[in-house]
Amino acid sequence: MKTGTYYLVRKAGSGDDMGFSPHLAERRFGYGRSPSIAPPENIAGMLGRLRGKDLMAERFPVPGFRQLQDGHVVKARFDAFARKKATTPEQAAEAREKSDEIEQRFRHQQLETFAQQQLRRIHSKDNFRERLVDFWSDHFTAQGKSGLLKLAIPAYVEEAVRPHVSGRFVDMLSACITHPVMLEYLDQSTSVGPNSKRGRRKGNRRGLNENLARELLELHTLGVGAAYSQTDVRQMAELLTGLTRTRDYSFVFRKGWAEPGAETVLGKTYSDQPGMQPIRNALSDLAMHPSTARHLAGKLAVHFISDTPTERTIGRLTRTYLDSDGDLMAVYEALLNDPAAWDSPPTNIRPPLEYMSTALRALAVPPDRFAALTPKETLRWFLRPLKIMGQDWDRVSGPDGWPETDAAWVTPQGVAARLDWAMNVPARLLDDLPDPQQMLQDIVGPDATDALKFAASAAETQAVGVGLILISPALQRR
Amino acid sequence: MKDGLSRRQLLVRAGVIGCSVAASPLITPMSFAQAPWDRRLVVIILRGGMDGLDVVRPVGDPAYAPLRPGLRTEGAQDLDGYFALHPALAGLMPLWSKGELGFVHAVSTPYRDKRSHFDGQDLLEAGTVDLGQGARDGWLNRLLQEVPGVERDTAYAIGTTPLPVLDGSAPVAKWAPEANLKISPQTMRLAERVMEEDPALHAALAEAALLAENGRDGKGGRAHRQIASYAAGRLRQDARIAAFSLGGWDTHRAQDRVLPRSLATLQEAILTLRDGLGADVWGKTAILAMTEFGRTARENGAGGTDHGTGGLAILAGGAVRGGRVNGDWPGLAESALYQRRDLMPTRDVRAVAAWVMRGITGVNRDVLENKVFPGLHMGSDPGLLA
């Protein structure tokens, strides 16, 4: 990769920030440049915006989980009526139609949510926040498994992840682990202590489910390589019993499901009083475990710097995390002040959704254009291409989230789909495409190679010129 | 590109995209190595829980008719005097007569009771006993991990739907015929130039150009036809395994209208594969279609069926010993049903897949039982392949 260009730009940055470059700040920590938004001037500015209000969440709101719960309840009533209570086939058909309408309405709302997500990324001056939301929602991957809850990822992210990205890790951990979407996704909602009141009930068929406990240790906190045993998983699973949901997917702690007795996880014993307190204590301890610090530090470094970060960077972030009591702002500050953040070549490939956002930001697609999209257009121009690129929107394939390695995304199918998209969709989306030469200046700036300059000027049409800029490594990698 | 083209000609054509070709894993000399075996395996994942009881109907079971008063559409094809085939698959009857179509009834994964598509499919593709065991790869990939000489184009995951069954550390080619690179040669050259500084992107683009070129055999058509015809094209060459999935099997209501559409798709995919493979390769091919679970034995109030347990595996191809409905038929008497509602699974569908893989690849039984499907007991050889 060509990296020399950054050294030139860096000199223009603030003197206090060793190596900082406004251009690279947008490229590496955001969704790339916008023609209409000035990049951050320095690291303090980036952190200041992140500490400030979440302006994009206010400007482009996303419906909360409660709406889906309500929809689910009403839809379930119509379904049950159609199945059991309808006295005539016409009545049943009418009830089913109403149930379908509800589902349809939520599906459309889901597509609007996609637009809101993109608009936040296109119009934000605080794109580091948007990237962090993306990072942490992948870390805490959860999705509904059936019915309307399949549409619950945006609501889950909005409520459990987003408010905590600039706070303390333990708060995000706690919000995610107790959210009904997570409880459902990792089967916690059916986990019953074998010796609990519910477990000892006659004819009981339910037992302990280790799924959430295992992923909590393996994915969310300690990391798969850390020193924990099957006994720790089992004890954690027993400790978590009681965390479940009501019929309409509200969080509830059921004492009668909680395994009696104290549990010992990683050598520490938690109170035998059934309730939230022992669980909260365990989550706090897990959050501040040195393995967790290292796991999170490594993931952040891989995500924002390179697939193979140095030990120095990981060590620095780990120490900051532990010294600051898991304060994420302190960790981000250390990340942005790490020389590797500005020295490393931009080799990380953007995953498909991020790539698309980068392109849309470069095109500065206005809010009213998104508002005018039909559901069919949203599917055809965005969600279907994303699927071909390998990232089916809000259908992540496992609890470990989307792959982080570049090799997972640089596939023939993925690259072909990006090329197809970049050549065809922008022209359908915008009446006036930007002039490729102007775009080279505004968006690619110091990253424009001779080959790209030549190609953009040799393109047969403006759409092809724009498409070539959009598929350049300068926009695909960060 | 016609199948008749030699690899040399293919390379010459690929020369359009210049030096990047050398970096493409698909066309390095490595990929011309001898394939590890000669038979072909196609795995089709039927997403949504196919109602095996409607597809291969146990009309000879006295309990069948009363359970399904509304789902006994006319025109079912008699198979063996006891089972009858859904009329929407009548186009496959010639295969049945030739012994190139068979079924295994009352099979399932170890997944029980929760009946979630999501978990059911995860488990089907992981091939493990339960979820949350840490296995993040699929059984077809684990098979490839155990075979020497596997190349990137030995196995293909085709289509836009993720196929966890082929996920894992063994190299696998992935392609969706929908990603068809509809751009002019001039634009392609410019794109190639723009990516030249980035070897990985450049190589992927070069490979994409080849794959897309190869895929034009498909001549358009609906996705499943494109996929099947693309798979056939690859299997005629170096590929030995192809996997893809077909959706549309979740038939909670109006099953008499919904199921025939999905069956027509499956039938077309099988026939497209047969035509695309040609007699010789078809003779060496086994297609295995499987689904995450069966459906309730009893028809529900909406003319459909709900999520159940025991289901059906479908086998087709010249390498198959067909013309039989395999499996231990448990019967549909209420006491014989699983939880008095579903067809009782009498055999692990993973054993069916294991025996097919054994026949196709010759891989040892202990590898299949310990590595590919950890903890599986394959049982006696059901003789599924010819």
Side-chain angles (χ1 to χ4, degrees), chain A residues 34-112:
Chain A
S34 155
S36 51
I37 298 170
E41 325 74 58
N42 48 36
I43 290 170
M46 288 174 79
L47 293 168
R49 279 173 189 157
L50 189 53
R51 273 194 199 96
K53 258 172 108 178
D54 187 347
L55 298 171
M56 286 296 116
E58 281 177 15
R59 185 169 163 201
F60 302 109
V62 161
F65 187 63
R66 185 58 201 262
Q67 272 209 32
L68 275 166
Q69 286 175 285
D70 292 349
H72 167 84
V73 170
V74 179
K75 185 175 141 52
R77 268 190 214 143
F78 281 121
D79 286 342
F81 181 85
R83 216 170 281 185
K84 293 180 195 141
K85 295 202 182 124
T87 46
T88 65
E90 290 75 26
Q91 261 189 350
E94 199 182 324
R96 280 199 297 271
E97 207 171 290
K98 291 214 165 104
S99 158
D100 287 348
E101 270 169 27
I102 293 171
E103 183 153 348
Q104 186 76 349
R105 179 154 52 79
F106 278 94
R107 281 187 195 287
H108 286 176
Q109 193 177 73
Q110 175 84 343
L111 300 180
E112 287 160 21

Side-chain angles (χ1 to χ4, degrees), chain A residues 345-475:
Chain A
T347 52
N348 272 350
I349 194 89
R350 294 187 193 277
L353 181 63
E354 190 191 313
Y355 169 68
M356 205 175 257
S357 303
T358 297
L360 295 170
R361 182 169 168 89
L363 296 166
V365 181
D368 56 353
R369 184 61 188 100
F370 271 103
L373 289 175
T374 64
K376 211 171 162 183
E377 285 167 340
T378 307
L379 286 168
R380 199 187 297 157
W381 294 346
F382 303 106
L383 302 195
R384 228 181 116 61
L386 277 171
K387 198 172 166 183
I388 303 178
M389 291 176 201
Q391 199 176 21
D392 201 0
W393 187 66
D394 275 4
R395 294 276 182 277
V396 64
S397 54
D400 47 345
W402 296 109
E404 189 72 68
T405 59
D406 297 340
W409 302 115
V410 185
T411 63
Q413 175 180 331
V415 171
R418 288 180 191 212
L419 186 57
D420 246 356
W421 185 85
M423 292 296 164
N424 296 307
V425 173
R428 286 180 203 158
L429 205 56
L430 297 174
D431 293 332
D432 292 313
L433 281 175
D435 170 59
Q437 297 310 320
Q438 189 64 45
M439 202 173 166
L440 275 175
Q441 259 181 45
D442 292 346
I443 306 299
V444 193
D447 300 329
T449 59
D450 290 343
L452 181 58
K453 285 180 198 159
F454 166 79
S457 64
E460 291 159 325
T461 64
Q462 196 170 358
V464 170
V466 168
L468 288 167
I469 294 172
L470 295 180
I471 54 106
S472 69
L475 271 80

Side-chain angles (χ1 to χ4, degrees), chain A residues 215-243:
Chain A
E215 304 300 16
L216 168 62
L217 302 182
E218 177 184 327
L219 297 176
H220 305 141
T221 59
L222 307 172
V224 68
Y228 62 92
S229 67
Q230 173 56 31
T231 312
D232 292 317
V233 173
R234 190 86 190 163
Q235 289 284 297
M236 190 72 224
E238 289 186 7
L239 182 56
L240 292 178
T241 49
L243 289 189

Side-chain angles (χ1 to χ4, degrees), chain B residues 148-197:
Chain B
V150 163
E151 303 290 347
R152 174 80 171 273
D153 62 344
T154 301
Y156 273 75
I158 310 172
T160 55
T161 313
L163 279 167
V165 70
L166 260 173
D167 281 352
S169 59
V172 170
K174 294 182 186 174
W175 185 251
E178 289 102 317
N180 54 9
L181 279 178
K182 280 176 278 190
I183 58 174
S184 72
Q186 158 73 355
T187 302
M188 187 63 180
R189 269 191 291 272
L190 291 173
E192 187 239 353
R193 187 148 178 184
V194 166
M195 290 190 194
E196 220 161 48
E197 58 165 314

Side-chain angles (χ1 to χ4, degrees), chain B residues 66-68 296-300 304-306 334 337 340-341:
Chain B
L67 282 168
R68 299 189 154 214
T296 46
R298 193 173 283 101
E299 173 185 333
N300 69 21
T305 49
D306 298 312
E334 191 173 338
L337 296 178
R340 298 188 167 258
R341 59 171 261 157

